[in-house]
C-alpha cells in the first residue's frame, strides 16, 4: 500500500478559528483502499482535519492535493463537484433529510449529479439492500431506528462509488451493538470497492477497524501508527 | 424539578420555572426569546396604534371643530366681531390653510392656538409653514405671503403637527365679498360623521388590517418550537410528567408573550414620538393624540399573553413529549373539510340578512354583524388553508428537480407548518381584495368625473369681490403677462332675477372669444346676446327668459333684447355647463359692464414649468389676497373617502411588510433548526442554488395554494359588502392581479432576504458538534 501514490496528500496544513489554531502544521497521506482513523480528544482538531481533507473547509496555509488536483486553489464550485463525485460522507447523527424517504435520501447524491430519478432510486435500492435496510426504503428517517438510520447514511455515502468516504464519529450516536454492525458493513463495502476511508472517532473500538491510526492533540499529529487488523 | 405535580403552589412554581426556562439556553435561547418578543412586540405596537385611532380621530375632530369659522354670518359689527377672509393656497402641491383676520372691536374672538390677533401686515404661522418658508426654494411662497411672522400657531389650533397654516392680520376686509363676520370660533353642533357606506369601509378596513396582525402574533409565539420540544423532552427525562411539561411550556410562552407585550409598549411609545415627524398624504398626527383607548389597551394586555399560552398548548396537543424525544402524533388522519367550511359559511350567514342596502339603516347591529362576518370569512382562509395544502401536495409526486422534491416532501411531511407560514399573507390578500372590491364600488358614488378638459385650461382663478369689465380686462392682461401662462379666457358672472318672477337666471358677460368657451356660438359680434338652452333631460327646469323680459342684475335692470340668439351650452374648461343662462357681450349691457361682477378666468399654462401655477397664485395674491386659484381636476373625490382610501393603502402596505417580517423570522427560525442538515448537504456537494430554490419552492407552493381561497373568499366578502350597500356587483381583474402579485412579491422578498442567512448556515461550521 505504501508504494502507491496517495489519493489525498496534506502537507503542513494550518487552520485557525478566531484565536484558536485548529490545525497547526498537519501532514498526512491517504491511499486508495486505506482506512485511516483520526483519533484524539475533543477540540484536538480531528474534525477540522477531516473537513479540510474533504474540501469542505479551505486551510489557511499548507498544501493539499487530491490526485493531481490542488484543493487549496480549487474554487468552491470545483470542490463541491469533487465532493459530489469522488467523496462520500457519514456524520454522527446521520443528517438524513427528514422529509425524504430513506430511498430518496440515498438517491439524493446521484440526483444532485443529474442522474434520472428512476436510475438513482434503482441504485439506491441496491445499496440499501447491501446494508440490510431494504425494508425501510419507503420510511422517513424519523420512522426508523438510530442504527437503521446510520446504515441508510452509509448507503448514501457509498451510492456514488466514491474514492474516499469521510466518516465523522459514525457510531457516536449508536449503542455498541449497532455501532459494530455499522462499522462492519462500512468496512466490508469499502474493502470490496477499494474505497479509502477517513474515520474520525475517539472510540478505540471503532478505530480498531482501521488500517492506520493518526492521533491528534492541539491541532498536531502526535502519533501515526500502522495496524494489522 | 420544581414543585409536585398536584399542588397549587407547585402549579405556579412550574409556570414560573417555564418563564425562567425561556431565558436560559445561552445565546441561542436569548436569540429565540428576542425574536419572539420583537415579533410579538411589532404586532402589539400595531394593535396599540389601532386602539389609538378612536382617540386620534376624536382629538383631531375636536381641534378642527374648535376652529370652525365658516358657520357664522353676522350682519352687524360689534365690539366682539371679527372679519375673516379665506385665503387658502397651495405651493407645489402642499395645501396651506390661510385666514385673513380683521377685528372690529376689542373683544373680537381669537382663533384656537393664537394668544392674540396678528396686526395688519403680520402673520402667525404653523411650525410646518415656518419651516417651509425658511427653506430654500420657497421664494415664490415668501413673495406671496409677504407678512411679518410674529408667532407660531400652538398645537390646539392645528389639525396635526404637519399642517401648513397661517393667520394674517388685515385692515382691508370691510365690504369684501366672501368675507365673513363672526364673534366666536367653533362648531357647537356635532359633526355629520361618516356616512354608513364609509363607516362600513372603516369597519372592514379595521378587520382586514387587524386579523393578519393577530395571526402574525400567533405565528411569532411559535418561534423556536423544535428546540423547545427538545428541552421539554429533557425535562421529561428528569422526571417531569406530561402536565408539568405543559405548564413549563405555558410559562415559556407566557414569558415570550409578556416580554413581547413590553417590547410592544416600548415600540409604540418610541414610534409615537416619531409619528409627529411624518406627514403622509396630508395627514399628520400629534404624538399626544396617539393614546390607546383604555378598554382596548386592557384587552390587548390580556389577550396577547393568553394567545401566546393558548397557541403553545395547542401545539403541544399535536405532539407527545416523551423522555427520549418528541413524537409527532401522526395518527390524526387526513384533515376534514366540513368544519373548516363552517367559519366562512357562518360569516356569510351573518352578512346575508344585510344584503340589499339594509346596512345603511341598521346602525350599530349592522356594524357588529359586518365586523363579525368579515372576521369569520377571513379566519376561514386560515382554517381552509391546511386542508387545501395537504389535499393538493398529497397528490404531487416527488418528480421534477431535486429542489422541487425537497420542497414538496417537506410540505408533505408538515403541511400545517407550511400553511401556517403563509396564512398571514393569504388573509392579508383576501382582506385587501375585499377592500378593493368595496372601494371600487363606493368609489363609483364618491368619485365623480367633473367633465373638465385639461387641454383647454389647467387653472381657474376666481375674484369673488368682483371687477368691472374695464378692471377685468386689466386683470386678464396681468395674468396673460405672468410667466408660464399660455392663454387666458374669462367671464364676469352674476345671478340675476327675472322681473316679476322668483326665477333666477345666470348672467355671464364676456367678449366673443370668452363667450365661445361657454356656449356653442358660431357667429358673435360686439353687442350680441345669447341664451343657452336648458338641459333637455331635465323636465322641471324653468323656461329661459324671453326677449323683452327684464332681468335685475346687481341692482340694475336690463332688458333682454329682441335679437337674442338661443344657443347650446358648452362645457367650460372645468366641466360645468351653464343652462338657461344669459350670455352678453359688454356692448350689449353697458350699465352692467360698469358694475363689479364676480370674475372667473381660465388659464392655460406651460405644463412643463412647475413654477407656472405658483407664479399665477402670486399674481392672484397681488391683485387681492382673497382671489381663489383652483387647479382644474378631471375627477372630484369626496375628501373623507379619499382619506379612508389613503389610510387603507398605508395600512395594507404596513400589514404586508409586517407579515413579510413574520415570514422572514419564521423562515430564519426553520433554517436555523436545519443548520446541521444544510451544512451536511453542502458537504455532499449540494449546489447552493439548489438549496435556495428548495426554500423558494417551499414557500411558493403554499403561497400559490393560499392565494386560491384568499381570492375566492376576498372576492366573496367584497361582493357581499357591495350587496349590502345595494351597489352594483363588480370585480376588477386588474385589482385582483395587483393584490395577488403583491402577496407573491412578499414571498419573493422574504426568500431574497433570507438568502444571506441561508448561505451562512450552509457553511461547514454547521457540521461542528464539539
Amino acid at each position: 500500500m505504501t508504494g502507491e501514490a496517495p489519493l489525498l496528500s496534506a502537507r503542513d496544513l494550518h487552520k485557525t478559528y478566531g484565536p484558536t489554531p485548529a490545525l497547526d502544521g498537519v501532514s498526512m497521506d491517504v491511499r486508495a483502499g486505506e482506512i485511516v482513523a483520526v483519533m484524539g480528544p475533543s477540540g484536538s482538531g480531528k474534525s477540522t482535519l477531516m473537513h479540510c481533507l474533504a474540501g469542505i473547509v479551505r486551510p489557511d496555509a499548507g498544501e493539499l492535493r487530491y490526485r493531481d488536483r490542488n484543493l487549496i486553489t480549487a474554487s468552491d464550485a470545483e470542490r463541491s463537484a469533487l465532493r459530489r463525485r469522488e467523496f462520500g460522507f457519514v456524520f454522527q447523527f446521520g443528517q438524513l433529510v427528514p422529509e425524504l424517504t430513506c430511498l430518496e435520501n440515498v438517491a439524493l447524491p446521484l440526483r444532485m449529479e443529474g442522474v434520472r430519478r428512476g436510475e438513482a432510486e434503482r441504485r439506491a435500492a441496491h445499496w440499501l439492500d447491501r446494508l440490510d435496510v431494504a425494508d425501510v426504503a419507503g420510511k422517513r428517517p424519523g420512522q426508523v431506528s438510530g442504527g437503521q438510520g446510520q446504515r441508510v447514511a452509509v448507503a448514501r455515502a457509498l451510492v456514488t462509488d466514491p474514492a474516499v468516504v469521510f466518516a465523522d464519529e459514525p457510531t457516536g450516536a449508536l449503542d455498541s451493538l449497532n455501532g459494530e454492525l455499522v462499522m462492519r458493513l462500512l468496512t466490508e463495502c469499502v474493502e470490496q470497492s477499494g474505497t479509502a476511508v477517513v474515520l474520525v472517532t475517539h472510540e478505540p473500538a471503532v478505530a480498531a477497524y482501521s488500517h492506520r491510526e493518526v492521533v491528534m492533540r492541539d491541532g498536531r499529529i502526535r502519533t501515526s501508527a500502522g495496524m494489522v487488523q | 424539578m420544581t414543585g409536585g405535580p398536584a399542588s397549587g403552589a407547585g402549579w405556579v412554581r412550574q409556570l414560573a420555572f417555564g418563564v425562567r426556562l425561556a431565558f436560559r439556553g445561552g445565546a441561542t435561547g436569548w436569540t429565540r426569546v428576542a425574536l419572539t418578543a420583537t415579533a410579538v412586540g411589532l404586532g402589539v405596537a400595531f394593535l396599540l396604534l389601532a386602539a389609538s385611532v378612536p382617540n386620534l380621530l376624536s382629538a383631531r375632530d375636536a381641534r378642527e371643530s374648535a376652529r370652525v369659522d365658516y358657520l357664522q354670518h353676522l350682519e352687524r359689527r360689534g365690539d366682539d366681531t371679527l372679519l375673516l377672509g379665506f385665503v387658502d393656497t397651495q405651493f407645489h402641491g402642499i395645501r396651506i390653510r390661510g385666514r385673513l383676520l380683521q377685528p372690529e372691536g376689542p373683544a373680537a374672538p381669537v382663533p384656537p392656538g393664537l394668544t392674540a390677533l396678528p396686526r395688519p401686515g403680520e402673520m402667525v404661522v404653523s411650525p410646518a409653514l415656518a419651516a417651509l418658508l425658511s427653506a430654500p426654494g420657497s421664494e415664490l411662497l415668501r413673495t406671496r405671503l409677504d407678512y411679518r411672522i410674529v408667532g407660531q400657531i400652538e398645537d390646539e389650533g392645528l389639525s396635526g403637527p404637519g399642517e401648513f397654516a397661517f393667520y394674517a392680520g388685515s385692515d382691508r376686509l370691510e365690504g369684501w365679498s366672501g368675507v365673513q363676520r363672526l364673534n366666536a370660533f367653533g362648531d357647537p353642533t356635532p359633526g355629520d360623521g361618516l356616512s354608513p357606506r364609509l363607516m362600513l369601509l372603516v369597519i372592514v378596513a379595521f378587520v382586514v388590517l387587524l386579523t393578519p396582525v393577530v395571526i402574525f402574533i400567533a405565528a411569532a409565539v411559535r418561534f423556536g418550537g423544535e428546540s423547545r420540544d427538545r428541552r421539554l423532552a429533557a425535562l421529561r427525562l428528569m422526571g417531569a410528567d406530561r402536565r408539568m411539561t405543559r405548564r413549563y411550556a405555558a410559562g415559556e410562552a407566557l414569558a415570550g408573550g409578556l416580554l413581547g407585550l413590553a417590547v410592544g409598549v416600548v415600540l409604540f411609545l418610541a414610534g409615537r414620538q416619531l409619528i409627529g415627524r411624518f406627514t403622509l398624504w396630508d395627514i399628520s398626527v400629534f404624538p399626544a393624540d396617539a393614546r390607546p383607548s383604555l378598554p382596548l389597551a386592557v384587552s390587548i394586555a390580556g389577550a396577547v399573553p393568553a394567545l401566546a399560552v393558548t397557541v403553545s398548548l395547542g401545539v403541544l396537543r399535536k405532539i407527545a413529549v416523551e423522555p427520549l424525544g418528541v413524537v409527532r402524533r401522526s395518527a390524526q388522519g387526513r384533515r376534514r373539510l366540513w368544519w373548516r367550511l363552517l367559519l366562512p359559511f357562518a360569516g356569510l350567514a351573518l352578512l346575508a340578512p344585510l344584503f340589499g342596502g339594509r346596512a345603511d339603516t341598521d346602525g350599530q347591529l349592522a356594524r357588529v354583524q359586518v365586523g363579525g362576518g368579515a372576521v369569520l370569512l377571513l379566519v376561514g382562509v386560515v382554517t381552509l388553508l391546511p386542508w387545501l395544502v395537504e389535499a393538493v401536495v398529497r397528490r404531487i409526486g416527488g418528480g421534477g428537480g431535486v429542489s422541487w422534491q425537497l420542497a414538496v416532501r417537506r410540505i408533505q411531511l408538515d403541511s400545517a407548518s407550511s400553511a401556517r407560514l403563509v396564512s398571514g399573507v393569504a388573509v392579508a390578500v383576501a382582506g385587501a381584495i375585499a377592500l378593493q372590491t368595496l372601494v371600487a364600488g363606493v368609489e363609483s358614488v364618491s368619485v365623480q368625473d367633473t367633465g373638465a378638459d385639461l387641454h383647454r385650461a389647467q387653472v381657474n382663478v376666481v375674484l369673488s369681490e368682483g371687477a368691472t369689465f374695464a378692471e377685468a380686462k386689466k386683470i386678464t392682461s396681468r395674468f396673460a403677462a405672468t410667466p408660464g401662462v399660455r392663454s387666458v379666457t374669462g367671464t364676469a358672472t352674476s345671478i340675476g332675477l327675472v322681473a316679476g318672477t322668483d326665477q333666477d337666471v345666470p348672467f355671464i358677460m364676456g367678449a366673443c372669444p370668452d363667450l365661445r368657451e361657454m356656449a356653442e356660438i358660431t357667429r358673435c359680434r360686439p353687442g350680441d346676446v345669447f341664451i343657452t338652452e336648458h338641459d333637455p333631460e331635465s323636465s322641471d327646469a324653468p323656461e329661459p327668459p324671453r326677449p323683452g323680459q327684464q332681468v335685475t342684475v346687481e341692482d340694475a335692470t336690463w332688458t333682454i333684447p329682441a335679437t337674442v340668439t338661443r344657443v347650446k351650452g358648452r362645457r367650460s374648461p372645468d366641466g360645468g355647463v351653464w343652462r338657461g343662462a344669459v350670455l352678453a357681450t359688454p356692448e350689449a349691457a353697458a350699465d352692467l359692464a360698469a358694475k363689479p361682477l364676480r370674475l372667473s378666468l381660465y388659464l392655460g399654462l406651460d405644463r412643463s414649468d412647475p413654477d407656472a401655477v405658483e407664479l399665477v397664485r402670486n399674481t392672484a395674491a397681488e391683485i387681492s389676497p382673497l382671489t381663489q386659484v383652483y387647479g382644474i381636476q378631471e375627477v372630484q373625490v369626496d375628501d373623507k373617502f379619499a382619506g379612508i382610501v389613503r389610510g387603507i393603502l398605508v395600512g395594507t402596505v404596513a400589514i404586508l411588510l409586517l407579515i413579510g417580517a413574520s415570514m422572514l423570522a419564521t423562515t430564519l427560525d426553520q433554517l436555523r433548526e436545519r443548520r446541521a442538515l444544510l451544512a451536511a448537504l453542502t458537504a455532499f456537494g449540494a449546489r447552493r442554488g439548489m438549496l435556495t430554490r428548495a426554500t423558494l419552492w417551499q414557500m411558493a407552493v403554499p403561497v400559490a395554494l393560499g392565494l386560491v381561497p384568499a381570492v375566492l373568499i376576498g372576492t366573496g366578502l367584497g361582493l357581499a359588502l357591495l350587496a349590502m350597500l345595494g351597489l352594483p356587483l363588480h370585480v376588477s381583474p386588474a385589482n385582483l392581479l395587483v393584490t395577488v402579485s403583491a402577496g407573491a412579491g412578499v414571498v419573493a422578498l422574504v426568500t431574497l432576504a433570507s438568502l444571506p442567512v441561508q448561505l451562512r448556515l450552509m457553511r461547514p461550521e454547521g457540521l461542528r458538534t464539539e
Side-chain angles (χ1 to χ4, degrees), chain A residues 6-201:
Chain A
L7 268 182
L8 270 168
S9 175
R11 292 290 172 269
D12 197 24
L13 293 187
H14 288 263
K15 179 69 188 174
T16 303
Y17 289 113
T20 315
L23 296 181
D24 189 11
V26 173
S27 299
M28 73 175 283
D29 292 333
V30 179
R31 291 182 166 75
E34 184 183 25
I35 301 177
V36 183
V38 181
M39 295 190 73
S42 283
S44 60
K46 52 189 191 297
S47 288
T48 304
L49 174 62
M50 192 199 91
H51 293 161
C52 286
L53 293 176
I56 297 170
V57 169
R58 201 194 295 265
D60 298 334
E63 283 180 34
L64 179 59
R65 302 190 78 82
Y66 170 73
R67 293 193 164 131
D68 56 348
R69 272 175 269 187
N70 185 341
L71 293 191
I72 303 276
T73 55
S75 68
D76 181 64
E78 286 168 336
R79 285 184 286 125
S80 294
L82 190 70
R83 294 199 299 273
R84 284 199 303 276
R85 291 164 195 160
E86 307 278 337
F87 299 163
F89 294 89
V90 184
F91 298 103
Q92 182 176 0
F93 296 104
Q95 303 297 13
L96 298 172
V97 182
E99 49 267 25
L100 298 182
T101 64
C102 291
L103 181 72
E104 288 169 338
N105 262 290
V106 177
L108 191 60
L110 294 171
R111 298 213 61 209
M112 289 196 298
E113 259 305 274
V115 178
R116 286 178 56 246
R117 187 181 175 197
E119 171 63 12
E121 292 189 353
R122 191 187 60 73
R123 283 160 64 179
H126 164 73
W127 277 101
L128 285 175
D129 192 36
R130 280 193 68 176
L131 284 148
D132 204 20
V133 277
D135 55 326
V136 301
K139 292 185 175 174
R140 292 203 168 99
Q143 297 168 315
V144 302
S145 71
Q148 287 172 320
Q150 203 61 341
R151 278 184 275 159
V152 172
V154 171
R156 183 176 64 173
L158 296 170
V159 73
T160 54
D161 296 323
V164 187
V165 167
F166 294 92
D168 191 356
E169 304 281 10
T171 61
L174 302 177
D175 57 68
S176 58
L177 202 63
N178 270 307
E180 274 183 41
L181 180 62
V182 165
M183 283 312 300
R184 189 168 52 76
L185 287 167
L186 174 63
T187 49
E188 276 174 18
C189 289
V190 297
E191 276 169 6
Q192 285 168 21
S193 60
T195 305
V197 177
V198 176
L199 179 65
V200 171
T201 183

Side-chain angles (χ1 to χ4, degrees), chain B residues 330-346:
Chain B
S330 56
Q332 57 185 329
R334 286 182 186 171
R335 294 189 166 85
R336 296 189 187 283
L337 178 62
W338 66 268
W339 70 266
R340 294 169 193 275
L341 288 172
L342 283 182
L343 284 179
F345 278 122

Side-chain angles (χ1 to χ4, degrees), chain B residues 9 60 99 122 126 195 305 365 395 539 564 586 619 631 644 670:
Chain B
R60 188 184 172 91
R99 299 289 186 267
E122 295 177 347
S126 69
S195 73
L365 180 64
R395 290 170 172 81
S539 55
V564 66
T619 302
I644 290 168
Q670 289 179 354

